[in-house]
Amino acid sequence: MSDEQQEIVTQLRDTVKKVCEEFAGEYWREKDRERQYPKEFVDRLTELGLLAALIPEEYGGSGLPISMGVEILKAIHEFGGNAGACHAQMYTMGTVLRHGSPEQKQKYLPGVASGELRLQAFGVTEPTAGTDTTSISTVAVRDGDKYIVNGQKVWTSRALQSDLMILLARTTAKDKVAKRADGLSVFLVDMREAKKNGMSINPIRTMINHSTNAVFFDNVPIPADSLIGEEGKGFRYILSGMNAERILIAAECIGDARWFIKKASDYARERVVFGRPIGQNQGIQFPIAQAYAQTVAAEAVLEKACAVYESGGNAGTLANLSKMLASEASWAAADTCMQTHGGFGVAEEYDVERKFREARLYRIAPISTNLILSYIAEHELELPRSY
Ligand SMILES: Cc1cc2nc3c(=O)[nH]c(=O)nc-3n(C[C@H](O)[C@H](O)[C@H](O)COP(=O)(O)OP(=O)(O)OC[C@H]3O[C@@H](n4cnc5c(N)ncnc54)[C@H](O)[C@@H]3O)c2cc1C
């Protein structure tokens, strides 16, 4: 990293640290307890332009490379916050940036950069298709100057805190296309209008405060110019955004892992049982050291993924690997942190149990460990595709 980049990282980390100090443990405990959206925290990040870090300067963002987005999200989690409520505002716009028309970019990106427009809902997963995305059944049927959308999405996070949604829908039936990935299209849906015309949103209560929902489309008309890129090519557009998402989620996991490791080490030094700090016992030291080693290794892979991504290379394997390794490292650190705290690990005021629940999610979403292993088997080991 150059001196100039190092300087930016230091500034970003200092800024994030101050925000996290302002919104410390009690803030997150209350939001978790009440299942509330952390609006004040998200507003502060927006004011500081942190969520617009990756939007090019010509559209009002900071035009930073993905490695700086990584630093922001990593720091949020390392300093005790949680970016899950707003990380998508940082990267969902990538679909518009890479595949949108000049008019769409000009229409939406400046508003997303300023925070005036919230583009943080991503409607891909459906209840019956699950991970098998090409089997989704939500359809968009062309009708003159609009499309009519029918179907259902599930686990659509932040739908209630979004003005716009990236929606994946089938525009040509699966049995009428040569490849199952064909015939899917991506739309930028103005949810403010859609909600007046047949879209409904039902929050799902989950073990973590993730503001996620089921979204129903009942004959929802959307203007034809909501289509992003070419009709039928949407699956490719969604895939092309996934490397950025995986890299940025890996950063959050690394931040979580560092938080757990510090919390566990601090407690292990302070807690005295049998007349000595529990951290003097190797049974306590070794799992923390193991999690530390896993975290350092995962972070090295993440840095490599960023370098390939920024150079325009194919970062698929490294993005997947970094997300898998980082989520496993943060889970190891979470488990060790809880064990180190003994009974106090489950007490709300220590924040360990909340972060423990939050960390567990990333082995499942946005892509599960199994599916990453399948990707590696197929793409790196040349083994037959298993699904
Ligand atoms: C809190 C939360 C927020 C989310 N936010 C969003 C969002 O904003 N937008 C969105 O579109 N989605 C979102 N998701 C969905 C998320 O991406 C999916 O939950 C995830 O991709 C897994 O899909 P599924 O839950 O349907 O599991 P399933 O596909 O039913 O899989 C269940 C289990 O079986 C395993 N499995 C399935 N097929 C195979 C196979 N062939 N080989 C080996 N193992 C297999 C999976 O790995 C998984 O462990 C969110 C999920 C959660 C829980």
Side-chain angles (χ1 to χ4, degrees):
M1 196 180 278
S2 68
D3 288 351
E4 194 191 341
Q5 282 169 322
Q6 193 53 59
E7 177 60 26
I8 297 174
V9 171
T10 306
Q11 281 175 12
L12 288 173
R13 284 179 62 81
D14 284 351
T15 307
V16 170
K17 191 165 186 228
K18 283 195 193 103
V19 177
C20 291
E21 281 164 0
E22 190 185 340
F23 297 93
E26 184 45 36
Y27 174 80
W28 292 102
R29 268 172 246 144
E30 189 190 331
K31 294 292 167 196
D32 186 51
R33 215 179 291 132
E34 306 298 330
R35 296 290 204 272
Q36 284 170 354
Y37 186 74
K39 181 180 181 312
E40 305 78 8
F41 176 75
V42 176
D43 284 350
R44 182 76 78 251
L45 295 178
T46 306
E47 280 158 29
L48 292 165
L50 292 167
L51 300 178
L54 306 184
I55 299 179
E57 284 173 299
E58 62 178 303
Y59 300 114
S62 312
L64 291 172
I66 197 159
S67 51
M68 297 299 141
V70 160
E71 293 299 335
I72 293 168
L73 297 181
K74 192 163 62 181
I76 290 174
H77 284 247
E78 182 178 343
F79 297 129
N82 188 320
C86 53
H87 53 203
Q89 180 81 1
M90 192 182 261
Y91 58 73
T92 309
M93 62 81 205
T95 309
V96 183
L97 184 63
R98 278 187 300 274
H99 309 290
S101 65
E103 295 75 31
Q104 286 170 326
K105 290 185 213 184
Q106 209 52 59
K107 183 171 175 190
Y108 295 111
L109 293 180
V112 176
S114 71
E116 193 186 320
L117 281 177
R118 297 164 305 169
L119 169 52
Q120 48 176 4
F122 187 64
V124 172
T125 310
E126 295 188 4
T128 51
T131 314
D132 183 7
T133 305
T134 60
S135 296
I136 61 167
S137 47
T138 295
V139 290
V141 178
R142 183 77 188 244
D143 177 15
D145 59 357
K146 52 188 183 297
Y147 285 88
I148 305 294
V149 183
N150 278 289
Q152 182 190 346
K153 296 289 172 183
V154 75
W155 302 121
T156 314
S157 300
R158 304 158 298 266
L160 289 170
Q161 292 83 24
S162 238
D163 302 304
L164 305 169
M165 171 195 269
I166 294 286
L167 172 74
L168 185 70
R170 205 160 252 297
T171 40
T172 308
K174 204 172 168 186
D175 58 6
K176 297 213 166 50
V177 288
K179 285 194 254 157
R180 58 186 176 168
D182 292 339
L184 293 164
S185 302
V186 167
F187 299 90
L188 186 63
V189 177
D190 188 329
M191 298 174 75
R192 297 162 300 184
E193 291 302 315
K195 276 191 269 188
K196 296 179 208 155
N197 294 294
M199 172 195 271
S200 53
I201 303 173
N202 289 358
I204 305 174
R205 269 186 82 82
T206 55
M207 72 182 245
I208 37 159
N209 177 21
H210 220 273
S211 311
T212 198
N213 309 275
V215 179
F216 300 87
F217 297 84
D218 183 9
N219 282 321
V220 179
I222 54 172
D225 64 6
S226 316
L227 178 73
I228 301 219
E230 262 182 77
E231 191 180 289
K233 301 265 169 68
F235 188 64
R236 264 154 263 179
Y237 305 156
I238 293 292
L239 282 187
S240 83
M242 284 182 170
N243 289 340
E245 183 185 54
R246 281 163 203 180
I247 287 172
L248 292 166
I249 298 293
E252 295 184 9
C253 296
I254 297 289
D256 278 337
R258 285 186 177 175
W259 185 91
F260 285 120
I261 289 166
K262 180 173 185 318
K263 188 94 173 167
S265 308
D266 288 349
Y267 191 76
R269 274 190 302 276
E270 285 158 19
R271 174 72 169 165
V272 174
V273 178
F274 295 112
R276 59 184 182 163
I278 56 168
Q280 204 173 330
N281 303 303
Q282 290 183 332
I284 289 289
Q285 289 178 0
F286 283 9
I288 308 176
Q290 179 75 41
Y292 177 83
Q294 270 183 261
T295 304
V296 171
E299 195 167 8
V301 177
L302 174 59
E303 278 168 22
K304 213 169 157 187
C306 287
V308 173
Y309 186 93
E310 286 172 9
S311 70
N314 180 359
T317 294
L318 284 166
N320 272 294
L321 276 178
S322 45
K323 191 269 168 187
M324 184 183 91
L325 295 171
S327 63
E328 298 295 336
S330 76
W331 180 238
D335 192 40
T336 291
C337 186
M338 178 159 289
Q339 197 69 15
T340 302
H341 278 75
F344 292 102
V346 296
E348 190 188 78
E349 67 178 290
Y350 282 77
D351 294 318
V352 175
E353 60 86 31
R354 175 175 53 80
K355 290 285 259 183
F356 179 89
R357 285 181 278 120
E358 288 172 1
R360 184 60 180 82
L361 173 68
Y362 289 143
R363 296 177 71 219
I364 298 172
I367 178 85
S368 71
T369 301
N370 272 5
L371 269 291
I372 293 181
L373 292 171
S374 299
Y375 179 95
I376 294 165
E378 183 186 343
H379 295 275
E380 294 298 318
L381 310 179
E382 295 176 19
L383 292 169
R385 188 182 164 99
S386 61
Y387 55 91

